[in-house]
Structures are given as C-alpha cells and as structure tokens.
Amino acid sequence: MPGHTSILSDPGGQRRLTLRRLRVRVLAGADAPQDLIFDVPVVRIGAGEGNELVLDDSAVSGRHCEIRRTPGGPLLRDLGSTNGVKIGGNRVREVYIHQPTRVRVGRTELEVSPVDEVHDIEPSTADRFVGLVGGSQAMRELYTVLARLAPTELSVLVHGETGTGKELVSRAIHARSNRRGGPMVVFDAAAVPHELIARELFGHRKGAFTGANDDAPGLFEKADGGTLFLDEIGELPLDLQPHLLRALEQRAIRRVGDTHYRPVDVRIVGATNRDLQQEVKEGNFRADLYYRLATVEVEVPALRDRLDDLDLLVSHFLGAVGGHGVVGLSDEVRELFRVWRWPGNVRELRNVVQRAIPFTDGDRIPLAALPDAIAGRERPSGPVELDPALVTGTYHEAREALLDAFEQQYLEDLVKRAGGNLAKAARMGGVDRKTLYRLLNRHGLR
C-alpha cells in the first residue's frame, strides 16, 4: 500500500520494513531554515497553534493546508486558505506528492518530499521484549519490528487471533515510545454496550443525560500525552465510526452534551482478530477509518505456529505464581501440548498451566492435572487419516479447509463436554464468550 508503512518479503525470503515518513524543509520565509521529518498520518501547516508546522507568516491562514497519508501516497490539500497553495506559480487545490516538490504558502517557500526508510528485519537476539515472551524466529522478528516502530508516532494496527497477546504488544510499543512517561489507556470495543461507547471514549457534560450529575472526561482525555489502545476495533458499530475518525483527524474531542472541542494528544494502537480489509469491502468498516488506524500493521503469531516457545512460556507462567514447587511439564504432557491446536493461544496455555499447579504433587505437571478438554483428547498412534476432499487445491486452500474442519469438530465436542453451557464452554476452551459465539455462528452451531 503506497501510503502506508509496510512489511514485505523479497523472493529470497528476506523480510523488510519500510517506514514511510514525510520531509518538509522551510526554504524561505520568517521560519527558514528548517528541516523536519514527520511520521504522523496528517501534517497540518498554518499560522495557528495546534498545527504540526506553525509558520510566523501573516499571509498564511490559521489552518492553511495539510499533507495527508493516503493509499495513493502523500496528498497535499488546501484547507480553504485565503492566499492559496502554489506549485510552480499555479494555485492548486489537491495534488499528490511523489517526489521533492516546492510549495509556496503565503510568503513562505517549502519543499515537501516523501521519505522511505527501508530496514532489513533481522531477528532480535532476545527471547523477551517488555512483557512479550518467546524465542522463536517469528517472535524475534516481531521484537525487531516493534523496536523500530515504538519510537515513532505512527498509528499501529495489531492483528492476531484471540489470546495471542495483542494488548501486550500495545503495552510494549508504549513502554518503548517517547510517550512512556504518559498514560496507557485501554478501550475494549467488544465489552462496552453500543449506547455507552461515545461517552466512554469522549466523556460527557453534567446534565447531558439522566444520571450525568458531574462532568466526566472520556478515555481520549485520560490518554492525553500517552497511548490509547483500541482493542477489538473491528467490533465498533458502523454508526459510531465517523465520531472516532473525527477525533483522530482533528486531534480534538467533544464530550457528549458539550458544544466545544478539547484538544488531545494521543497515539493510537488498535487491535483486531478480524480481516478489516474484507470488512471494508463488505461495508462493515469505513475505509477512511481503516487507513487512518492502519498506518502500519503487525501480526502476532498464533501459538500453534510457534510451538518452539512452549517451554519458555510454561516456565514464565509457572514463575508468575509463587508458593509452589512446580518447575515444568512431564514428558507426556509436553508431547500432548505439541499436538494440541491451542484455539485460545497463549492465554489458553497460561490458564491450563496455572490451573494445573494445585493438582500437581511433584515438580512436573502430569496428565491427570490437565482439564478434560485437553487430557481427554486421544492422540493418534499412527499417521492421521485425512479426508481426501479436504486436501485438494493449493497448500493454503487445503490448510484452511483442514483447520475449518478441525475448528467445527472442536467446537461441537467442546459444547458437548460443557453440557451445552456456553459460558462454561468458553472457560474450558480458554476463549472469551464473544469469540466463542462468533465461532459457533460461523459454523452454524448456534
């Protein structure tokens, strides 16, 4: 995507991170000389406070123009200024900037150019990154990417299945950013009722609704100067998405029942287990909000794709609980863990390990200490018989078909073992109820 930071692999398998930034040089005028690099999605230029580039030029409007990152590249746009934006002596309304371009605003001459920084993604040598744990190549590459992204102001969209640790990624970004001295605030879009989302995010004024006895700040204001983590952003109702986009674009919010906007300085990290590009195509998610949130996208691998991390994770989870003598897994349990699909990912592993501690008499977790959902699953003694209908087509098509068949069978068995109690089934499976409901609906089981 031309306007976005990207992570790509070349034919040789080398993964590279391209950071897309914007360079603005002030060549002439009262503010010359200046040479500035911006990594925010929108660079506003004008004489008023609150612009990314404030010019001391009486011929420049308060908000004169902006340069916005778009899928087509940086877009320079006049914001209705009095004296206009000129390139080569001609006044322009909108123009894409693909190469160094001289721009005149008022009496000030600028040079605007896109700046791409390309970095090879060499796996980190560490097996931990802030709160993240894992020494597999996938995780060590993730650490390298996060270390590059954290010091920037880029918005980040974190992808990953439920339980992979998307919130831990957001906290790691905040902890390594220049905002680490500010607040880290979490909003879970899936956990807040529709009618409460606006006041949760933006706050409210006294008297705005029945029971609003005092003014109350929202999460944007609480995150001012820090990072706001928008979890399960794909669950945000379509009618509320324009309000979030407006807050991100204007860097200002209006409390429910209020008449004026309050400026906020917040970095956004979002997370989703949905394919938001597909949601955009289906009309469930606004394209402009997606592009605003997904300045850069990172993927947190599923646990089944990094089983080399099992021992390290188990040790970490055992160490987080004191007052016991358990130091690891029995050989039988270790082998079982390596063939389990871990639908609840790292969260499920943590729950299984820590719940097993009280039922472990020695220093190694035995099979008897595991939940029935795992211990009761028989392991095949020989080669697995695959349905020929599921292994046709490409590797990826066959893999998706097999995973889909496994997921349906697993869900059927899980609900049966839970006696039809979905809350209990969610606990047994190590997933939240909303995710279980969505999976059941996908397979026509609810």
Side-chain angles (χ1 to χ4, degrees):
M1 190 173 295
H4 283 52
T5 289
S6 57
I7 301 173
L8 300 173
S9 298
D10 65 17
Q14 175 63 58
R15 300 180 75 225
R16 292 188 172 89
L17 170 67
T18 302
L19 292 175
R20 303 191 188 279
R21 292 169 163 166
L22 191 73
R23 184 176 194 172
V24 180
R25 298 171 61 204
V26 184
L27 303 179
D31 299 282
Q34 287 191 70
D35 192 345
L36 305 168
I37 299 291
F38 296 97
D39 52 30
V40 293
V42 182
V43 177
R44 294 182 176 87
I45 301 171
E49 293 298 322
N51 291 295
E52 281 70 28
L53 177 55
V54 179
L55 298 175
D56 184 14
D57 184 340
S58 60
V60 169
S61 299
R63 286 210 167 178
H64 198 98
C65 62
E66 68 177 17
I67 309 163
R68 177 181 299 270
R69 186 182 290 111
T70 75
L75 176 66
L76 172 66
R77 184 170 69 177
D78 188 348
L79 294 178
S81 63
T82 300
N83 294 314
V85 176
K86 296 181 180 178
I87 296 178
N90 298 313
R91 188 162 179 167
V92 297
R93 296 285 186 185
E94 290 186 347
V95 63
Y96 284 102
I97 304 292
H98 295 298
Q99 59 188 3
T101 303
R102 293 204 171 192
V103 178
R104 191 161 193 89
V105 293
R107 302 184 186 90
T108 303
E109 186 172 0
L110 310 172
E111 182 185 76
V112 178
S113 55
V115 179
D116 290 354
E117 297 178 13
V118 182
H119 304 278
D120 287 348
I121 302 176
E122 299 296 341
S124 168
T125 58
D127 60 12
R128 297 165 192 265
F129 186 83
V130 193
L132 297 164
V133 176
S136 60
Q137 177 159 331
M139 291 302 291
R140 290 186 292 113
E141 287 186 353
L142 177 62
Y143 302 160
T144 298
V145 171
L146 296 180
R148 287 284 185 186
L149 294 177
T152 73
E153 286 293 310
L154 295 168
S155 299
V156 181
L157 184 61
V158 185
H159 291 273
E161 296 177 7
T162 297
T164 50
K166 297 187 290 294
E167 183 175 338
L168 289 177
V169 169
S170 74
R171 292 187 179 279
I173 291 172
H174 176 73
R176 291 295 183 90
S177 74
N178 297 326
R179 294 173 173 267
R180 56 187 173 273
M184 168 77 192
V185 177
V186 176
F187 171 73
D188 185 349
V192 180
H194 182 168
E195 65 274 10
L196 300 181
I197 290 178
R199 67 179 80 163
E200 184 80 6
L201 284 173
F202 309 127
H204 63 262
R205 283 202 64 185
K206 179 179 179 180
F209 51 86
T210 302
N213 299 320
D214 295 291
D215 289 347
L219 296 183
F220 267 91
E221 288 180 76
K222 292 178 180 179
D224 193 33
T227 304
L228 177 58
F229 175 53
L230 302 174
D231 197 10
E232 301 295 353
I233 191 62
E235 304 295 331
L236 189 70
L238 192 60
D239 64 315
L240 292 174
Q241 292 176 23
H243 301 285
L244 176 59
L245 178 64
R246 189 176 302 113
L248 300 180
E249 291 289 306
Q250 297 180 358
R251 296 188 312 283
I253 60 92
R254 188 176 65 182
R255 292 179 179 180
V256 174
D258 208 345
T259 57
H260 74 279
Y261 283 86
R262 302 166 187 265
V264 288
D265 173 24
V266 172
R267 182 186 188 177
I268 299 296
V269 179
T272 182
N273 58 14
R274 293 192 178 194
D275 182 346
L276 285 192
Q277 290 193 42
Q278 185 61 35
E279 294 292 314
V280 169
K281 291 178 182 177
E282 294 176 0
N284 299 322
F285 203 85
R286 289 178 61 108
D288 46 7
L289 179 57
Y290 167 71
Y291 293 128
R292 176 61 181 81
L293 291 168
T295 301
V296 59
E297 301 181 67
V298 297
E299 182 82 24
V300 188
L303 180 55
R304 62 180 173 273
D305 295 328
R306 58 179 186 110
L307 292 175
D308 290 346
D309 291 332
L310 272 173
D311 287 339
L312 188 61
L313 287 165
V314 167
S315 177
H316 173 71
F317 295 140
L318 288 173
V321 180
H324 63 83
V326 183
V327 297
L329 308 175
S330 66
D331 291 343
E332 189 176 25
V333 170
R334 180 178 289 105
E335 288 303 309
L336 179 59
F337 277 14
R338 288 193 171 275
V339 297
W340 187 247
R341 292 299 296 174
W342 298 109
N345 288 291
V346 177
R347 182 186 299 150
E348 181 186 3
L349 175 64
R350 181 196 64 199
N351 292 342
V352 168
V353 168
Q354 293 181 347
R355 288 172 182 172
I357 293 173
F359 304 100
T360 300
D361 294 326
D363 63 352
R364 304 279 170 174
I365 294 175
L367 191 63
L370 300 183
D372 291 342
I374 296 179
R377 183 166 179 258
E378 295 182 0
R379 293 173 52 208
S381 57
V384 178
E385 293 291 334
L386 300 178
D387 182 349
L390 297 178
V391 293
T392 57
T394 67
Y395 164 78
H396 292 291
E397 289 170 344
R399 181 176 182 271
E400 287 304 311
L402 286 165
L403 288 176
D404 190 66
F406 157 77
E407 190 174 82
Q408 179 165 346
Q409 185 62 56
Y410 175 83
L411 292 168
E412 289 176 352
D413 292 344
L414 179 64
V415 173
K416 184 177 180 180
R417 287 195 300 272
N421 185 322
L422 298 187
K424 182 179 179 182
R427 290 195 298 273
M428 291 171 60
V431 297
D432 60 80
R433 276 183 289 176
K434 196 174 186 71
T435 297
L436 177 63
Y437 296 161
R438 187 161 56 246
L439 292 172
L440 292 172
N441 287 333
R442 180 191 302 167
H443 292 282
L445 300 175
R446 179 170 179 258

